[in-house]
Structure formats: C-alpha cells, structure tokens
Amino acid sequence: MSTAADRPAEPAAADLPQGLPRGIRAHLQGFGPGLVLAMTFLGTGDLISSSVSGANYGYALMWTLIVALGARYFMISAIAKYKLQNRFGDRSLMAGYRRVWKGFPIFFAVMMLIYGMIVQSAFLRAGTVGLYELFGRRGGEWGHFWWGIPVVIGTAFALTRGSAFRILEWSARVASIVIIGSFVFALVRIGHVDWVALFKGLTFDVPPDNGPFDALFIAVATIGTIGGSAANLLYPYFMAERGWNEPRHRALQQFDLASGMVPLLLINLLIWIVAAETLRGTGITVSNEEGLARMMTLAVGPLGPTLLWIAFALKAVTSFPAQAHGFARLMFDGLHLGTRRGERFKEIGDDPWFNRAMVAFFILVPLVITFPGAPDLVHISVFGTSVVTALTLPPILLGILLLTSSRRFMLDAHVNRWWQTAILMIIAVIGIWSLYAIVTNLGSAIARVL
C-alpha cells in the first residue's frame, strides 16, 4: 500500500503542464464527463419520479427536487475531489475506501453488481417502452423484448470498441437538447404556470397522501434516486476518459460538473411543471406508462405521447450504454482492489473478463425486464432503484465524508473546509433518514399498489 511519501510533491502553478483549456470557448469544447453523467441519471429517478410527484402532488414536493440535485452536486464534487487531490495518487474513490477498510472494495463490487442490474433493467425498460410505443406497439406482448434486442446488440457493439466514450458524449448532447425541447414545447402549449403554488412548493411541506405512493415515500424516492444514487461513483471513471487525474484539473472538473447539472435541473423542472399543470386536481394519477402518455396528451394533444416516447427512446442510446460501461468499471475496480486479480492486470480494461461481464450482467440480464408480465416502468423505477439506492447510500456517504475531511487521506491544501464537511454531514443524515423512511413505508406502499 502506498504512503504519503509515495506521491510526488504537488507542482507549483508555474510548473504545471500546459494544454488545459483557456477561455470560454475552449472550456465549452472540453465539456463531456459531467453531461454524460447527468444524462445517465435521466430516465428513472428523473423522468419517472418528477412525473409521479408533479401529477399526484402538484408542486407540494418540489423542494425535494432542489434538495436532491444539491445533494447530488456536492456528493459528486466530493468524489471528484478525492480522485484529483488525495494524498496517495488514488485514481478512484474505491481505492480510498480500501484505505478505510480493506473489505470495502469487495462489498461494493457485489453491491454494484446487484444495483447495476436493477438500474439497468429500469433504463432498458424505459428505452423499449419508447421504441415499442413510437413504432405502433408492434410485436404484441413480446414487443418490449423484440425492441430490446437491437438496443442490447447496439450497446454491446458500441461499448466493446475504442470510441465508446465519444459516442456517449455525443448521444448525451443530442438527448439533452431533444428532451428539453420536447418539454419546453409542452409547457408552451399549456400556456400557464401557477407561480404561487410553485414557490409554495419550495417550502418543506409533506402533503396528505394521494395516489398509489404515499407522499413521504415519493419524497425520499426523489431525494434518493436523484440525490444519492450510487451511480455518482461513476464520475471518476468518466473523468479518466478525458485524462483528468491531477489536482490541476479541479477547476475544469467543477465547471464541467456544474454544466452537466444545468440541463438535468431544467429537464426535472419542466417535467414536474408539465405534470402538475396537466394532471393535478383532475383525479388522474400516474402509476404506469399509460399515465405518463395521458399527461402528455393533455399538455400537447395527439403529438404529446410521441414526444414522450422519443424522450424514452433516447434513453436507449444514453443512459443504458453509459451505465453499463460505468457499473462494469466500478465492479471490476472493486474486484481488482479487493483480490489479487489487480496484481495481474494494470488497467481494468486489460482484464479479459471485463467486457464479458459487462455484456452479460449489465446488458443481457436486464432483458428479463422486457418479458411479458414483468413490472411496469413506474414501479421498477420507484421501488427498485429507490430501495437499492437507499441501501447503498449510507456507506457511500460516510466514506466520502471520512475521506475528504481528513489530512490522513487528502493533500493538506485540499482537505474539506468546515462548511463542506457540514454539508456532507447533512447529506449523510438525509441518506440515513431516506433508508429508514423507505424501509418503514415500503410494506404499506406495496399493499396499496396491489
């Protein structure tokens, strides 16, 4: 295990290698990892949770969206901070966790295997729902499966080639523009926003239960799936694709992350507002894909569902491939750090089982969710991803807090300031509260749905 002496002294500013982007245009051209990460989240925690919340509770729970996105930004920023400014030259948070407890890498490898398969199932379901509906529901009861085949084949082909990350960057940019445009158009067609209710929804209020999911469950699901996703751990691997591995990359990384959060915030707000303005007070609730289509029909007319299905179909070329790649790297990072396998292969990609496991577990296994009788998109998103997120959130948060707040792990100049530590502590408390709330409310929520 390396020590503080193993890491070269941090270079002075004048000695830093040249080549970093200079000027606004160069920074804009350098964006990528943050947007790719943001678009990998979009689909389950965002399209679904925001739609369900807005439709069933209007603006009353909108504060959870602000809390969730704020928590996500600070979590990812802290994760990136450890990668760039730790004392040992570790290139991932997983290596830091190993310094806390040597059993952590294996623990997270197993958890990411389970978590990744569930989340990938939700994203694949979103993509196949979009394609199935967009092309006239062809294929009958096996339609989702048949539309899942080209998604799976295309994903496997793209991710086993050297240009995978560039493909993910461009697909994320196109998807963000199209999805934002679709919901802006829907909002324009609606023609009004209840600004009083919107601002009131930013107060910390939990309304009476309405619909198949109680308000507290929706609140913690929104905070958990958007703010505390274990997929936050993927960012260092996306950063590595751009060669961002040193303390000198911190400013660029922060700018990149903020730029990725902007379209995510816009999309969430737009979806929430459209749902609140079209379905709230009508007696119509969102509990499946048909509810989402009805929402867009009320907002836009006959064209509405088509826009929705296009947005879902785009998830097949953004989130699904990006997270398959990311979860596989995260799992193998844990395996390499927790076993002697890491001594045999210098890089994760050098492991001959990397591509095989990625295709098998994170691309092929999720096809099960497309079989007839499988859970619908809303339930697999709200129940599956929120529950598994809540279970993984506390150890992730506590690990981030410990690693970035101690000079034992961080370079002296980059240890968290008191307010940064305080924010991470608050997020950790929210994460533990989310776990408690989800566990205690899960039984009653399932009973109401059934």
Side-chain angles (χ1 to χ4, degrees):
M1 180 180 297
S2 61
T3 65
D6 296 326
R7 180 174 179 129
E10 190 173 348
D15 298 328
L16 291 177
Q18 300 301 308
L20 291 179
R22 297 178 182 274
I24 296 177
R25 182 177 180 181
H27 275 81
L28 290 174
Q29 291 175 340
F31 290 158
L35 184 59
V36 171
L37 184 71
M39 295 308 293
T40 63
F41 296 134
L42 188 65
T44 55
D46 301 65
L47 283 174
I48 305 306
S49 291
S50 294
S51 298
V52 171
S53 300
N56 296 342
Y57 296 100
Y59 295 105
L61 291 173
M62 186 169 276
W63 61 270
T64 64
L65 177 60
I66 306 302
V67 171
L69 290 178
R72 169 173 285 176
Y73 177 83
F74 280 102
M75 273 191 65
I76 300 173
S77 180
I79 291 169
K81 180 178 183 177
Y82 183 80
K83 173 182 171 62
L84 298 177
Q85 299 170 334
N86 71 83
R87 187 173 292 276
F88 307 100
D90 293 340
R91 294 308 185 212
S92 71
L93 192 70
M94 193 69 68
Y97 281 139
R98 186 174 183 270
R99 299 181 187 281
V100 176
W101 175 48
K102 63 181 180 180
F104 260 132
I106 291 297
F107 167 77
F108 276 115
V110 174
M111 291 302 297
M112 289 306 103
L113 173 62
I114 299 171
Y115 179 91
M117 289 190 294
I118 293 175
V119 172
Q120 283 296 87
S121 296
F123 279 114
L124 181 60
R125 179 75 177 188
T128 59
V129 163
L131 293 170
Y132 176 72
E133 299 287 348
L134 197 58
F135 290 97
R137 299 189 173 186
R138 295 181 181 180
E141 65 176 1
W142 283 91
H144 292 290
F145 173 77
W146 294 119
W147 284 113
I149 295 297
V151 174
V152 164
I153 293 176
T155 297
F157 178 78
L159 294 185
T160 53
R161 303 182 67 84
S163 58
F165 190 74
R166 285 297 179 184
I167 294 174
L168 297 179
E169 282 187 333
W170 279 106
S171 65
R173 291 167 184 163
V174 172
S176 63
I177 293 172
V178 173
I179 294 174
I180 289 175
S182 297
F183 283 95
V184 166
F185 177 68
L187 193 57
V188 170
R189 290 295 300 270
I190 292 172
H192 60 83
V193 174
D194 188 341
W195 294 105
V196 174
L198 191 155
F199 286 115
K200 185 178 179 181
L202 298 178
T203 62
F204 295 88
D205 180 39
V206 178
D209 296 340
N210 179 49
F213 310 106
D214 68 43
L216 184 60
F217 189 85
I218 290 296
V220 295
T222 301
I223 294 173
T225 58
I226 296 178
S229 173
N232 293 337
L233 297 175
L234 302 182
Y235 189 50
Y237 304 102
F238 295 154
M239 290 166 57
E241 297 283 353
R242 280 297 190 90
W244 298 351
N245 297 309
E246 303 294 336
R248 63 191 176 91
H249 294 119
R250 177 61 169 168
L252 177 59
Q253 171 272 307
Q254 287 180 302
F255 197 40
D256 169 75
L257 180 58
S259 72
M261 293 296 104
V262 170
L264 193 63
L265 175 61
L266 288 175
I267 291 171
N268 274 280
L269 288 174
L270 289 168
I271 294 171
W272 198 303
I273 293 172
V274 169
E277 293 294 338
T278 55
L279 296 183
R280 177 61 175 164
T282 64
I284 302 174
T285 60
V286 173
S287 60
N288 53 39
E289 296 94 315
E290 296 301 323
L292 295 173
R294 190 179 299 114
M295 173 188 78
M296 291 300 288
T297 300
L298 292 174
V300 179
L303 181 61
T306 299
L307 294 176
L308 181 69
W309 306 139
I310 289 174
F312 275 23
L314 285 172
K315 303 315 302 162
V317 294
T318 53
S319 299
F320 187 71
Q323 294 208 142
H325 178 73
F327 281 126
R329 291 188 66 85
L330 189 56
M331 183 178 75
F332 269 78
D333 196 8
L335 288 175
H336 282 197
L337 288 168
T339 67
R340 293 184 177 179
R341 196 169 188 82
E343 300 174 2
R344 297 174 55 192
F345 305 104
K346 182 178 180 181
E347 300 292 339
I348 294 174
D350 295 337
D351 193 322
W353 280 98
F354 173 76
N355 280 337
R356 300 170 190 172
M358 177 177 64
V359 172
F361 295 121
F362 303 119
I363 298 178
L364 291 179
V365 168
L367 267 176
V368 173
I369 202 65
T370 66
F371 291 176
D376 62 56
L377 179 59
V378 172
H379 290 101
I380 188 65
S381 299
V382 174
F383 285 122
T385 60
S386 64
V387 170
V388 74
T389 292
L391 293 175
T392 57
L393 185 56
I396 291 174
L397 284 172
L398 293 174
I400 293 171
L401 177 63
L402 177 61
L403 289 172
T404 58
S405 301
S406 172
R407 285 184 172 82
R408 174 187 172 191
F409 303 105
M410 299 295 295
L411 291 170
D412 290 345
H414 303 295
V415 176
N416 284 342
R417 297 180 180 179
W418 70 267
W419 60 269
Q420 293 171 318
T421 298
I423 290 175
L424 288 175
M425 289 179 67
I426 292 172
I427 297 173
V429 170
I430 292 175
I432 295 172
W433 167 69
S434 298
L435 172 60
Y436 171 78
I438 285 180
V439 170
T440 56
N441 282 271
L442 184 58
S444 59
I446 292 176
R448 281 195 299 277
V449 172
L450 299 177

